[in-house]
């Protein structure tokens, strides 16, 4: 038992500090991806509701592609393929040096475009749940389209979309483990390296599982609080009727 505790301890003899650093990378890339993916997803959802056939077609193709292609393949395409493409453009412009994409940025972009495809459907469902009369009332009050969206539509949109976005976040947390294949030293990367050195797969992959589980439990609690807060006024209005 002491042997396993020593392996998980902090310091030069244990892997505790490396696992902690990997956990910080995991939550960092998830938090960096979330606003990018949700904002892009909202833009895709609005494009799906656009009067422009071009925008609707683009948005439909986007969600079809990135919901259908495996996340790992998307990660490889962006990290290796897009990097080669950017380097080609860089060289064609006659600029000196090499243009390299960091694993963190590549992981964030890859996970973000996939998150956008799934969150777009959540946003779209929430947009469809908001009655058209809300926008008409805002226009009657003299609000511009942007003001109506920011002050009237978006607060209601968040209330309706939060459960689905919470599920998207939970999936994103687990998908961060994929970035280990492009050498980003996240939780999964450290657990794999520790297993290779110590030949203790159950110990280190079990520790990685507990780290992901810890983040999931905290996230579930956080989203429950957000949903309670978002539904507070709505619940009172429903009770008064």
């Amino acid at each position: 038992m002491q042997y396993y505790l020593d392996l998980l301890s902090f310091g030069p003899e244990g892997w505790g500090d490396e696992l902690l650093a990997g956990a910080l990378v995991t939550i960092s890339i998830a938090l960096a991806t979330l606003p990018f993916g949700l904002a892009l997803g909202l833009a895709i959802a609005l494009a799906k509701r656009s009067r422009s056939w071009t925008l609707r077609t683009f948005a439909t193709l986007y969600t079809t592609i990135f919901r259908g292609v495996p996340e790992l393949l998307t990660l490889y395409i962006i990290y290796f393929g897009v990097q080669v493409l950017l380097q080609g453009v860089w060289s064609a412009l006659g600029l000196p040096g090499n243009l390299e994409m960091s694993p963190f940025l590549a992981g964030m972009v890859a996970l973000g475009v996939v998150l956008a495809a799934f969150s777009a459907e959540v946003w779209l469902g929430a947009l469809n749940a908001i009655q058209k009369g809300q926008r008409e009332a805002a226009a009657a009050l003299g609000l511009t389209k942007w003001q109506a969206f920011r002050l009237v539509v978006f607060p209601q949109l968040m209330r309706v979309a939060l459960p689905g976005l919470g599920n998207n976040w939970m999936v994103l947390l687990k998908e961060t483990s994929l970035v280990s294949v492009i050498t980003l030293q996240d939780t999964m990367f450290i657990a794999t390296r520790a297993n290779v050195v110590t030949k203790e797969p159950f110990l280190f992959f079990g520790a990685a599982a507990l780290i992901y589980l810890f983040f999931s439990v905290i996230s579930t609690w956080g989203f429950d609080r957000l949903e309670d807060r978002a539904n507070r006024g709505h619940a009172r209005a429903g009770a008064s009727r």
Side-chain angles (χ1 to χ4, degrees), residues 162-190:
L162 262 177
L165 297 180
N167 290 333
N168 289 157
W169 164 255
M170 299 294 281
V171 172
L172 172 64
L173 267 177
K174 293 182 290 184
E175 287 180 347
T176 58
S177 62
L178 296 174
V179 300
S180 62
V181 301
I182 57 173
T183 70
L184 186 63
Q185 298 188 19
D186 70 325
T187 301
M188 198 64 190
F189 181 92
I190 298 299

Side-chain angles (χ1 to χ4, degrees), residues 28 44 74 86 99 110 156 192 211 218:
S28 295
I44 295 297
T74 302
L86 291 175
L99 186 64
Q156 299 179 73
T192 302
I211 290 172
I218 295 298

Side-chain angles (χ1 to χ4, degrees), residues 96-111:
N98 294 322
L99 186 64
E100 295 183 0
M101 181 182 296
S102 70
F104 189 95
L105 178 61
M108 188 192 79
V109 172
L111 295 175

Side-chain angles (χ1 to χ4, degrees), residues 15 19 189-201 204:
W15 290 85
L19 285 171
F189 181 92
I190 298 299
T192 302
R193 189 172 70 176
N195 168 57
V196 171
V197 173
T198 64
K199 303 298 187 293
E200 294 290 347
F204 288 104

Side-chain angles (χ1 to χ4, degrees), residues 69-229:
V69 175
E71 290 84 351
L72 183 59
L73 182 56
T74 302
L75 181 62
Y76 279 147
I77 289 173
I78 290 177
Y79 184 61
F80 295 109
V82 173
Q83 188 157 222
V84 170
L85 178 62
L86 291 175
Q87 183 58 52
V89 173
W90 187 265
S91 300
L93 294 174
L95 298 173
N98 294 322
L99 186 64
E100 295 183 0
M101 181 182 296
S102 70
F104 189 95
L105 178 61
M108 188 192 79
V109 172
L111 295 175
V113 295
V114 174
L115 173 63
F118 285 93
S119 67
E121 300 302 319
V122 176
W123 289 122
L124 184 61
L127 284 167
N128 291 335
I130 298 175
Q131 298 178 355
K132 185 179 179 181
Q134 299 282 339
R135 300 179 183 85
E136 293 174 347
L141 291 172
L143 299 179
T144 64
K145 287 186 177 181
W146 165 245
Q147 289 174 326
F149 180 80
R150 182 171 61 89
L151 299 175
V152 178
V153 175
F154 190 72
Q156 299 179 73
L157 188 65
M158 284 301 300
R159 180 182 62 80
V160 178
L162 262 177
L165 297 180
N167 290 333
N168 289 157
W169 164 255
M170 299 294 281
V171 172
L172 172 64
L173 267 177
K174 293 182 290 184
E175 287 180 347
T176 58
S177 62
L178 296 174
V179 300
S180 62
V181 301
I182 57 173
T183 70
L184 186 63
Q185 298 188 19
D186 70 325
T187 301
M188 198 64 190
F189 181 92
I190 298 299
T192 302
R193 189 172 70 176
N195 168 57
V196 171
V197 173
T198 64
K199 303 298 187 293
E200 294 290 347
F202 288 106
L203 176 65
F204 288 104
F205 290 136
L210 289 176
I211 290 172
Y212 287 110
L213 183 60
F214 172 76
F215 287 144
S216 296
V217 169
I218 295 298
S219 298
T220 299
W221 177 85
F223 271 95
D224 284 345
R225 301 289 78 73
L226 286 175
E227 287 180 40
D228 289 343
R229 183 176 181 83

Side-chain angles (χ1 to χ4, degrees), residues 232-241:
R232 187 170 51 189
H234 183 75
R236 282 203 301 266
S240 65
R241 289 197 295 268

